[in-house]
Amino acid sequence: MELVRFIFSFSRQSFILAVLTGVGSGLSMVGLLALTNEVLDAPEQASMTMGLTFLLLIALMVIFRVNSTVLLAKLSQKSIAQLRMQLCKNILKAPLKELEKHGGHKLLATLSEDVNTIATGIMRLPFICINVAIVVGCLVYMTWLSWWLFLVALAFIGLGVTAYRIPENKALSLLTQSRSFGDQLFSGFRAVCEGTKELKMHKSRRATFLNGTLQEATLGVQENIVNATRYYSYAGSIGIFLFFAIIGSLLFVVPQITPLTTATLVGYVMVFLFIQGQSKGSAIKGVRVVDF
């Protein structure tokens, strides 16, 4: 939420336009999904109008997606550039005692890693808007197909979100710890660059520095990131398990309890496959942030 307020303060109009185009792209994808299901359910009813509508939805999806990404890219670069300049001005205005208290390594980490983290978050916003629109649109479509089956699916989704959040929170905690070790690592790098001559002259001091502070910080970053990745893997595996559990229930359990039309069954399976594909694609591709 703080990230949204931050970028919203720089250009309200561009941000709103980027969000709307992202939502437009997501809804276009849901429209393609619904139209595909309709044609699969009754292939003989496919018409030229449906084909043209399909092409139109593809064009809208691409146009909205590209515009949303480009708008957020421009806005993020502008806001990040201004943020860096403001931070540098604040550092130069701050009392020397205050700067020495925090240490140059923390200031350097803020100007580089922390600002880059903000930039990464901003660049992900259009994809978040697209995915939110897709999920909401899919939920509405599922309700239209079968409201009671939607309630069952919603219970599975709620269970999945809860199960995902537990290991994710642990991973976030480990990444926070990694950040503190990162500050120590920046301090060590600075000592290496600024105290090269002294470290070369004193063998014992060099060994203490390398095997003590620097190694501790390096291992701290390494172990916390590896453990955080492990917990993220747990979270993802839980999500995949529940996804296939839903598909299996739709195919083998629900039809034994109550009859379902082919359109409803195919529609639900397609929706979950589509959502899974979107989430997997987002996780694998991500958003590459240009080095500043």
Side-chain angles (χ1 to χ4, degrees):
M1 200 64 187
E2 291 297 326
L3 181 61
V4 174
R5 289 197 191 99
F6 167 73
I7 193 170
F8 196 74
S9 65
F10 280 93
S11 180
R12 182 177 305 180
Q13 184 177 356
S14 297
F15 178 76
I16 292 175
L17 186 59
V19 170
L20 290 177
T21 51
V23 170
S25 178
L27 293 179
S28 299
M29 290 185 187
V30 176
L32 287 168
L33 182 66
L35 185 58
T36 300
N37 185 41
E38 184 178 346
V39 174
L40 287 175
D41 182 51
E44 69 282 354
Q45 295 183 9
S47 63
M48 182 62 69
T49 302
M50 286 184 172
L52 293 174
T53 303
F54 193 85
L55 289 175
L56 177 61
L57 288 171
I58 293 175
L60 288 174
M61 182 267 294
V62 172
I63 292 171
F64 283 142
R65 189 184 186 92
V66 170
N67 278 280
S68 179
T69 305
V70 172
L71 282 169
L72 258 301
K74 289 180 179 179
L75 186 54
S76 69
Q77 295 304 311
K78 179 181 177 182
S79 58
I80 291 301
Q82 292 184 21
L83 177 61
R84 276 207 171 97
M85 291 303 298
Q86 187 59 49
L87 286 172
C88 290
K89 290 177 182 178
N90 291 342
I91 290 172
L92 294 175
K93 289 179 182 178
L96 187 58
K97 281 187 177 181
E98 193 68 23
L99 296 178
E100 291 175 346
K101 177 183 175 182
H102 289 285
H105 61 284
K106 287 188 176 181
L107 299 176
L108 182 60
T110 299
L111 288 170
S112 55
E113 287 191 353
D114 292 347
V115 174
N116 279 343
T117 300
I118 295 173
T120 302
I122 294 173
M123 288 297 291
R124 290 185 184 276
L125 280 176
F127 297 93
I128 293 174
C129 295
I130 291 170
N131 288 335
V132 168
I134 288 173
V135 171
V136 172
C138 286
L139 292 177
V140 172
Y141 180 57
M142 289 161 65
T143 306
W144 179 74
L145 287 173
S146 173
W147 66 268
W148 69 267
L149 194 55
F150 164 73
L151 294 178
V152 175
L154 196 61
F156 269 99
I157 293 172
L159 178 63
V161 171
T162 303
Y164 181 90
R165 290 293 295 176
I166 294 173
E168 185 193 37
N169 288 337
K170 179 62 177 177
L172 290 174
S173 174
L174 289 167
L175 289 177
T176 301
Q177 295 178 34
S178 173
R179 175 65 175 81
S180 64
F181 281 109
D183 288 341
Q184 295 180 31
L185 198 58
F186 267 99
S187 179
F189 291 158
R190 185 177 180 183
V192 169
C193 296
E194 296 179 356
T196 303
K197 184 177 180 180
E198 183 180 354
L199 291 172
K200 281 180 175 292
M201 292 174 61
H202 300 86
K203 185 177 180 180
S204 60
R205 185 174 297 179
R206 181 173 69 247
T208 301
F209 171 73
L210 290 175
N211 299 324
T213 306
L214 192 61
Q215 187 176 33
E216 179 187 350
T218 303
L219 291 177
V221 172
Q222 173 189 322
E223 290 176 2
N224 279 283
I225 290 180
V226 169
N227 289 329
T229 303
R230 180 181 294 109
Y231 279 100
Y232 272 124
S233 178
Y234 293 158
S237 298
I238 291 172
I240 292 174
F241 169 79
L242 288 173
F243 162 74
F244 280 108
I246 294 174
I247 297 295
S249 299
L250 287 172
L251 294 176
F252 304 110
V253 178
V254 175
Q256 304 300 321
I257 299 173
T258 181
L260 289 176
T261 64
T262 303
T264 300
L265 183 60
V266 172
Y268 266 78
V269 172
M270 282 184 61
V271 164
F272 282 109
L273 287 172
F274 182 71
I275 292 176
Q276 173 67 10
Q278 285 296 119
S279 62
K280 184 179 179 181
S282 299
I284 293 175
K285 296 175 185 176
V287 180
R288 297 188 63 185
V289 180
V290 179
D291 293 331
F292 296 93

